[in-house]
């Protein structure tokens, strides 16, 4: 049965580069989103223009509400479900050792991991995160719980167990042998990749190869993962890891990675060039289905290589503030042509909500030094949290906006559920110029939206059940 949803529609239509998002911003105040019986977008336009063939549809009138594409979180940690706001760690490497590895080790208990999977899906639905690249637990039973609960709740996911073959003492429970690292990853791919439909082009469940970061693995692991990835790339398997996050001189992640591997650049370790002097030691893990989190401190060569290979960055400003990781240079990264998406990095970040990431992106980039500083356009913000994420997941043809034929992933925002948002939308000054007024409204919406504002969440036209 077809459905019609009435509300103020905002989306970035077509397939623009992020720099062209302002021109692709579509705002339909008296909007109608029509879904066909298969949960695909059949019409997106004014309610007065609905094609007559949909006259008998079930009508959902979200009066005074807004319809936005579902949010896409391209970097979030399942085994950190209970580790947001971890205190006492400091910056990245110490925080991992003192707070995160012990937290993640608790997922060794299957009951604990199962409870966490329910909580994780609850938080995702509450935040309107319809699709996510999820950094997984080291424990296969925890990943089984995550995929099973995600399927039960009807969410989209790409995830893989976090691979660690070396680390400090506190990481002990998370480590495996070199052989088990490969075996467990292969088993996860065979068990869960497209397990829901049997077809990667229609699946909601997907698997990624997830080395935690270069310092959690060895040249042997990277060589073996390159071989594994060569053998599964054409099945649409993903790669996910961290890159260039903490640049504290001498003892931070980047310097320690470069001195451990004796490579010219951090990216080389993921690009098959992980031997001393950046000599080739195996196959590259880069490509259109690879998402690297952070990319705060990349060289021009690293950015160019990511753009060339279609590798995306998950931009995580909330986490970068929390862990003192610095600010990704917006203009330089965009100019390099790398696809950008948004990640909460929960629990490195302390927010589950992608619009909170977009809000902090606005704040940190307007604060960049001198001519690097930039005021993000609200359409760029919306792109980052929706279409850019779908592109990073290489599923832009399926979701990310309301173009005809796409699978209908969307959130219904009801400002009345959040008085401060309702007040800002009602009483905020709006320009006489209709384009600027539209941008002002979208900006107020993205900045003021909270979990409480999200009334309903749909994936493939199916309404998801909150907790
Ligand atoms: N680098 C390696 N592991 C992690 C992690 O769990 N969070 C973040 N933010 N960076 C990492
Ligand atoms: Zn992370």
């Amino acid at each position: 049965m077809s459905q019609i949803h009435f509300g103020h529609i905002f989306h970035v239509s077509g397939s623009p580069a992020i720099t062209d998002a302002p021109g692709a911003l579509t705002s339909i105040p008296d909007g109608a989103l029509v879904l066909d019986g298969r949960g695909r977008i059949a019409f997106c336009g004014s309610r007065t223009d609905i094609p007559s063939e949909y006259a008998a549809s079930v009508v959902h009138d979200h009066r005074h509400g807004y319809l936005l594409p579902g949010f896409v979180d391209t970097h979030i940690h399942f085994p950190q479900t209970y580790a947001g706001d971890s205190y006492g760690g400091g910056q990245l490497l110490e925080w991992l050792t003192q707070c995160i590895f012990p937290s993640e080790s608790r997922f060794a208990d299957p009951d604990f991991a199962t409870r966490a999977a329910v909580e994780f899906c609850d938080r995702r639905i509450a935040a309107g995160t319809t699709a996510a690249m999820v950094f997984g637990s080291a424990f296969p039973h925890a990943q089984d719980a995550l995929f099973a609960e995600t399927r039960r709740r009807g969410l989209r996911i790409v995830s893989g167990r976090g691979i660690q073959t070396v680390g400090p003492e506190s990481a002990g429970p998370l480590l495996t042998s070199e052989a088990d690292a490969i075996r467990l990853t292969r088993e996860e791919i065979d068990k869960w990749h497209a397990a829901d439909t049997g077809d990667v082009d229609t699946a909601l469940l997907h698997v990624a190869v997830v080395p935690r970061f270069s310092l959690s693995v060895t040249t042997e692991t990277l060589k073996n993962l390159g071989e594994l990835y060569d053998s599964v790339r054409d099945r649409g398997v993903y790669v996910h890891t961290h890159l260039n996050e903490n640049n504290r001189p001498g003892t931070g992640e980047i310097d320690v990675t470069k001195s451990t591997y004796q490579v010219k650049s951090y990216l080389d370790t993921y690009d098959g060039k992980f031997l001393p002097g950046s000599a080739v030691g195996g196959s590259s893990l880069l490509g259109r289905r690879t998402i690297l989190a952070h990319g705060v401190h990349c060289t021009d060569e690293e950015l160019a290589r990511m753009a060339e290979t279609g590798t995306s960055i998950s931009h995580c400003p909330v986490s970068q503030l929390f862990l003192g990781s610095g600010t990704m240079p917006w203009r330089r990264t965009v100019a390099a042509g790398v696809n950008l998406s948004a990640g909460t990095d929960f629990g490195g970040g302390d927010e589950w909500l992608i619009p909170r990431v977009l809000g902090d992106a606005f704040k940190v980039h307007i604060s960049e030094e001198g001519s690097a500083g930039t005021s993000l356009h609200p359409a760029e913000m919306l792109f980052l949290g929706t279409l850019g994420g779908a592109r990073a997941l290489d599923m832009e043809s399926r979701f990310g906006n309301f173009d005809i034929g796409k699978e209908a992933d969307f959130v219904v925002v009801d400002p009345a559920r959040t008085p401060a948002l309702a007040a800002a939308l009602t009483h905020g000054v709006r320009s006489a110029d209709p384009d600027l007024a539209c941008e002002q409204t979208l900006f107020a919406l993205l900045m003021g939206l909270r979990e409480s504002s999200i009334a309903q969440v749909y994936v493939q036209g199916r309404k998801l059940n909150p907790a």
Side-chain angles (χ1 to χ4, degrees):
M1 183 78 182
S2 55
Q3 316 167 35
I4 302 178
H5 294 263
F6 292 129
H8 185 154
I9 292 170
F10 276 115
H11 74 131
V12 177
S13 59
S15 189
I18 190 166
T19 43
D20 297 328
L25 178 62
T26 301
S27 167
I28 312 169
D30 225 354
L33 199 58
V34 180
L35 281 46
D36 68 18
R38 294 183 310 150
R40 290 175 193 255
I41 309 286
F43 171 83
C44 173
S46 169
R47 62 195 290 169
T48 53
D49 297 335
I50 299 172
S52 56
E53 63 197 276
Y54 297 109
S57 305
V58 176
V59 172
H60 304 266
D61 193 351
H62 310 290
R63 202 172 289 270
H64 309 303
Y66 293 82
L67 306 178
L68 302 176
F71 300 122
V72 183
D73 186 342
T74 57
H75 184 59
I76 180 165
H77 291 261
F78 164 51
Q80 294 173 24
T81 296
Y82 301 119
D85 296 323
S86 290
Y87 176 72
Q91 293 195 355
L92 178 63
L93 295 183
E94 296 73 26
W95 168 81
L96 285 173
T97 302
Q98 290 164 34
C99 305
I100 295 304
F101 295 152
S103 288
E104 296 195 2
S105 298
R106 302 187 72 188
F107 282 60
D109 173 354
D111 292 338
F112 188 87
T114 301
R115 266 202 314 278
V118 174
E119 172 80 18
F120 185 80
C121 292
D122 287 348
R123 297 279 69 75
R124 275 192 59 187
I125 295 173
T129 299
T130 50
M133 172 64 91
V134 179
F135 204 104
S137 166
F139 302 104
H141 61 253
Q143 287 298 99
D144 288 346
L146 175 67
F147 278 113
E149 181 66 10
T150 302
R151 173 158 63 183
R152 196 176 74 76
R153 306 295 285 274
L155 289 159
R156 294 182 196 272
I157 192 170
V158 183
S159 185
R161 69 173 292 274
I163 300 165
Q164 298 183 236
T165 50
V166 288
E169 201 181 329
S170 67
L174 309 175
L175 306 186
T176 68
S177 67
E178 297 286 358
D180 281 351
I182 304 306
R183 179 180 61 78
L184 293 173
T185 301
R186 193 179 281 285
E187 285 175 4
E188 187 175 19
I189 294 167
D190 291 342
K191 183 167 188 179
W192 287 110
H193 191 56
D196 50 329
T197 64
D199 176 359
V200 69
D201 294 329
T202 57
L204 297 182
L205 309 180
H206 301 260
V207 175
V209 175
V210 184
R212 179 166 210 127
F213 65 164
S214 296
L215 290 176
S216 287
V217 293
T218 66
T219 52
E220 186 181 346
T221 326
L222 288 168
K223 179 174 187 304
N224 293 340
L225 288 178
E227 272 173 25
L228 171 65
Y229 197 50
D230 280 346
S231 72
V232 294
R233 225 184 234 271
D234 64 0
R235 288 165 62 188
V237 171
Y238 293 80
V239 171
H240 189 40
T241 186
H242 297 92
L243 175 77
N244 282 330
E245 181 176 0
N246 185 288
N247 73 340
R248 196 176 55 208
T251 54
E253 173 214 22
I254 297 172
D255 277 2
V256 176
T257 300
K258 283 161 80 175
S259 66
T260 301
Y261 282 88
Q262 293 292 304
V263 286
K264 296 179 196 153
S265 83
Y266 192 159
L267 187 70
D268 284 344
T269 60
Y270 301 136
D271 199 12
K273 298 185 280 185
F274 48 74
L275 296 179
S278 291
V280 174
S283 295
S284 177
L285 296 172
L286 306 184
R288 290 172 59 85
R289 292 204 161 193
T290 300
I291 300 180
L292 303 179
H294 300 290
V296 180
H297 308 285
C298 294
T299 63
D300 288 343
E301 291 74 22
E302 288 175 312
L303 292 174
R305 180 66 180 148
M306 282 188 267
E308 179 191 7
T309 54
T311 300
S312 294
I313 287 178
S314 177
H315 181 31
C316 308
V318 175
S319 162
Q320 285 142 23
L321 288 166
F322 187 80
L323 290 172
S325 304
T327 301
M328 185 193 81
W330 178 268
R331 286 175 182 271
R332 194 163 71 81
T333 309
V334 168
V338 185
N339 180 52
L340 283 176
S341 56
T344 58
D345 194 21
F346 199 92
D350 61 343
E351 295 281 357
W352 292 88
L353 189 67
I354 282 294
R356 295 272 68 207
V357 176
L358 308 178
D360 276 5
F362 183 86
K363 294 172 203 165
V364 299
H365 297 304
I366 204 165
S367 305
E368 286 190 65
E369 288 285 312
S371 61
T374 187
S375 172
L376 294 189
H377 191 288
E380 293 177 306
M381 296 165 65
L382 184 61
F383 174 96
L384 200 63
T386 57
L387 193 60
R391 190 172 297 168
L393 293 172
D394 201 21
M395 287 192 267
E396 187 180 1
S397 62
R398 295 182 59 186
F399 59 88
N401 62 16
F402 297 142
D403 286 357
I404 305 301
K406 286 200 185 183
E407 299 167 26
D409 289 13
F410 62 101
V411 296
V412 179
V413 177
D414 177 3
R417 296 160 59 108
T418 312
L421 174 62
L425 289 168
T426 307
H427 301 299
V429 170
R430 294 292 176 265
S431 170
D433 169 2
D435 287 343
L436 181 54
C438 157
E439 292 157 22
Q440 289 168 328
T441 296
L442 177 58
F443 187 71
L445 187 64
L446 292 176
M447 297 299 287
L449 203 164
R450 297 290 181 271
E451 269 98 338
S452 59
S453 328
I454 297 178
Q456 295 177 16
V457 182
Y458 290 78
V459 170
Q460 291 181 326
R462 280 189 297 270
K463 189 173 162 198
L464 307 190
N465 290 323

